Amino acid sequence: MGFDQYHEPPDELPAETRTFARLCASLTEEAEAIGWYEQRLAVEQNATAHAVMSNAVGEEYKHFAMDLEFLLRQKPQWRAIAKGILFQEGDIVEHGEAAEEAADGDGDPTVEVTPSGPSLGIGSLKGRGL
Ligand SMILES: [Fe+2]
């Protein structure tokens, strides 16, 4: 069993930090699994095998999302930046820059970051019959 998630002596780290590191390692592993399934699904010709792996990758999506949510709950600044980027329409890099600036700008890492201006994604609702 490896302990590669630690870059400092584990016995010097608080339990909270060790847990955080474990979930970071788990998040990485879930992302790797998603990438592996993506490749396997791209080449699999057997329909049943494809269906089985399609089901399995859904589990990895769930695991990744749960790991991410746990980590974001531990780090308000990370959560604030993620809120400005995730599930937004438009330019990802633009949202990232705006979210980082907003989270850093007022010194309050718990501030909720929302995109401003034309990046609100309101335009994406047009034509949806809402
Ligand atoms: Fe998993």
Side-chain angles (χ1 to χ4, degrees):
M1 182 176 182
F3 297 96
D4 293 341
Q5 70 264 33
Y6 301 120
H7 290 271
E8 299 295 331
D11 58 342
E12 294 181 24
L13 296 171
E16 180 179 281
T17 303
R18 292 196 307 270
T19 296
F20 189 83
R22 286 186 201 104
L23 266 291
C24 284
S26 181
L27 183 78
T28 300
E29 292 162 2
E30 303 303 346
E32 286 177 343
I34 291 167
W36 294 333
Y37 276 119
E38 186 72 17
Q39 294 177 52
R40 292 171 186 154
L41 288 166
V43 298
E44 183 55 59
Q45 299 299 307
N46 181 289
T48 302
H50 195 278
V52 168
M53 289 190 291
S54 290
N55 181 279
V57 75
E59 287 291 310
E60 307 307 342
Y61 294 153
K62 178 184 74 178
H63 298 160
F64 180 90
M66 292 190 303
D67 285 351
L68 181 60
E69 180 61 20
F70 177 89
L71 291 167
L72 293 177
R73 288 182 184 187
Q74 312 310 305
K75 299 293 175 187
Q77 184 180 21
W78 188 3
R79 186 175 195 82
I81 291 171
K83 278 185 170 181
I85 299 168
L86 298 175
F87 312 111
Q88 308 292 332
E89 299 290 331
D91 189 295
I92 295 170
V93 174
E94 184 178 298
H95 289 313
E97 293 299 322
E100 182 182 26
E101 186 174 317
D104 290 343
D106 68 356
D108 179 2
T110 61
V111 67
E112 184 167 328
V113 178
T114 55
S116 60
S119 301
L120 271 174
I122 291 172
S124 65
L125 298 175
K126 292 178 181 172
R128 288 188 180 179
L130 297 175

